[in-house]
Amino acid sequence: MKNVLVRYGELTLKGGNRRQFITKLIQNIKFRMKPYNDKVELIKDNNSCMIKVEDDYLDRLLADLQTVFGIYSLSVVETTSWDFEEITKKVLAMAIESAKEAKTFKLEVKRKDKAYPMTSTEMKQKLAPVVLQNTDLKVDVHNPDLKIEVVVKKDHVDIFHSRIKALKGLPVGVSGRGLSLLSGGIDSPVASFLTMKRGMSVDFVHFMTPPHTSPEALNKVFALAKQVAKYNYQTFNLYVVDFGKMLQELNHIPNQTYKITIMRRMFMRIANRIAKRDHQQALITGESLGQVASQTIESMSVINETSKLPILRPVLTNDKEDIIKISKRINTYDISILPFDDVCSMFVPENPVTKPRPWIAEEQEEAIMWEPILDWTVENEVKKFVFHEGEFVEDTNWSKEIEKEEQNPEQATE
Ligand code: ATP
Ligand code: MG
């Protein structure tokens, strides 16, 4: 058996919400460990928890814990009783074990329980010579190769030599739910990931226009949502909207330089309708200020006008290079760069307007029949997929749900 100490980060600062945050974090950790539930045991403490794990499952557990937001750092620890002789033995064993790679060491002792009969300085003064006499390690207090930490707690002592940095952030689920507009590109999966980092559970919506967009383009979207699923809430939904009819209608707007702008406004209107039914509290996009002609502040304002819900743009201020870096870290990059075009990249007019005016956008919309098409699209062209145990399963009751809601609005289920 190995012991993994899981430290909570920011959570400890959050006053009244703290208990709720920790409860959610523990739930999320337990959910991640579910496939090997019988190999682990979780023991709660105040600002941390300890997970006992069978040796063979240690690496898998460590990898899984590094996908859970709200965890600050991890250590594989040796635990002992307060017995000083036992502590000495374990410290020395750890030093000998690590002395193969390290030349210098530093010892750090902390007493979380001051009732321990020795001070931390006394403990250090007794422990360090044992290491020096029995290994080739030298002391280096500034830049040691090996740092052994001894933490005296209420009923036991933790000894460990490394802190594995985890994701930090807040446990997913404590900041409500958002609906992310997921294209097949690089930016929107990163935006979704960053939203999860602040504790928001993320559902997805994708707009496609078959036959202009290929099945491979849609597969990419499923693959991306799956790839970030390990950071996301336990279960979530992906909506796929066939935007074909609306796109045809957009060919009739008089000023074609507004096509992308109007398309985005339609995306937002449809996303708002879905979010209203599925109770998301915000929309999320991968827009970055100035990244392309359609991502100016003027464009964003004209798009915002069509959304009741706040539109979160987590990568707004990031350079493309930074976004790519994150996408590589979360393994979405290789999927995103697969060469299948989505709606936006295929229908960019020659000179998209960079500073759209709201009244001109409205004029364009007045010239076409968008409202009935929008209703039609929401009622007939939306498919809902639920992510469950690693796979997406289509929820075919979705259309029935809509009928029910419309016939008996006051009975609409939560
Ligand atoms: P991305 O890399 O996320 O595709 P991008 O730089 O290609 O972003 P655009 O194509 O201009 O940017 O799209 C801006 C944002 O609009 C996307 O980040 C995404 O949130 C949303 N979006 C664009 N196309 C679609 C689509 N087909 N379905 C859902 N959302 C989309
Ligand atoms: Mg795109």
Side-chain angles (χ1 to χ4, degrees), residues 41 54 74 120 160 165 198 212 289 307 311-312 359:
E41 186 195 346
E54 285 184 16
L74 304 163
S120 41
F160 53 90
K165 278 193 188 147
R198 298 310 301 166
H212 306 294
L289 189 60
S307 183
I311 301 175
L312 310 182
W359 61 91

Side-chain angles (χ1 to χ4, degrees), residues 183-188 264 295 342 344-345:
S183 65
I186 294 169
D187 306 319
S188 45
R264 288 283 154 74
Q295 296 178 12
D342 81 333
C344 288
S345 41

Side-chain angles (χ1 to χ4, degrees), residues 181-189 205-208 264 267 284-287 291-292 294-295 320 342-345:
L181 282 77
L182 188 65
S183 65
I186 294 169
D187 306 319
S188 45
V205 57
H206 175 71
F207 298 92
M208 60 167 186
R264 288 283 154 74
F267 282 3
I284 301 146
T285 78
E287 289 164 293
Q291 189 190 85
V292 291
S294 59
Q295 296 178 12
K320 193 78 188 183
D342 81 333
V343 196
C344 288
S345 41

Side-chain angles (χ1 to χ4, degrees), residues 78-83 87 116 123 150-153 155-159:
E78 293 283 342
T79 56
T80 74
S81 69
W82 272 20
D83 178 31
I87 297 171
Y116 195 75
M123 289 174 77
V150 178
V151 182
V152 179
K153 292 187 174 169
D155 46 13
H156 69 278
V157 178
D158 289 338
I159 305 166

Side-chain angles (χ1 to χ4, degrees), residues 21 65 120-121 123 224 252 310 393 404:
F21 283 22
L65 292 174
S120 41
T121 315
M123 289 174 77
L224 287 168
H252 302 302
V393 182
K404 198 166 59 191

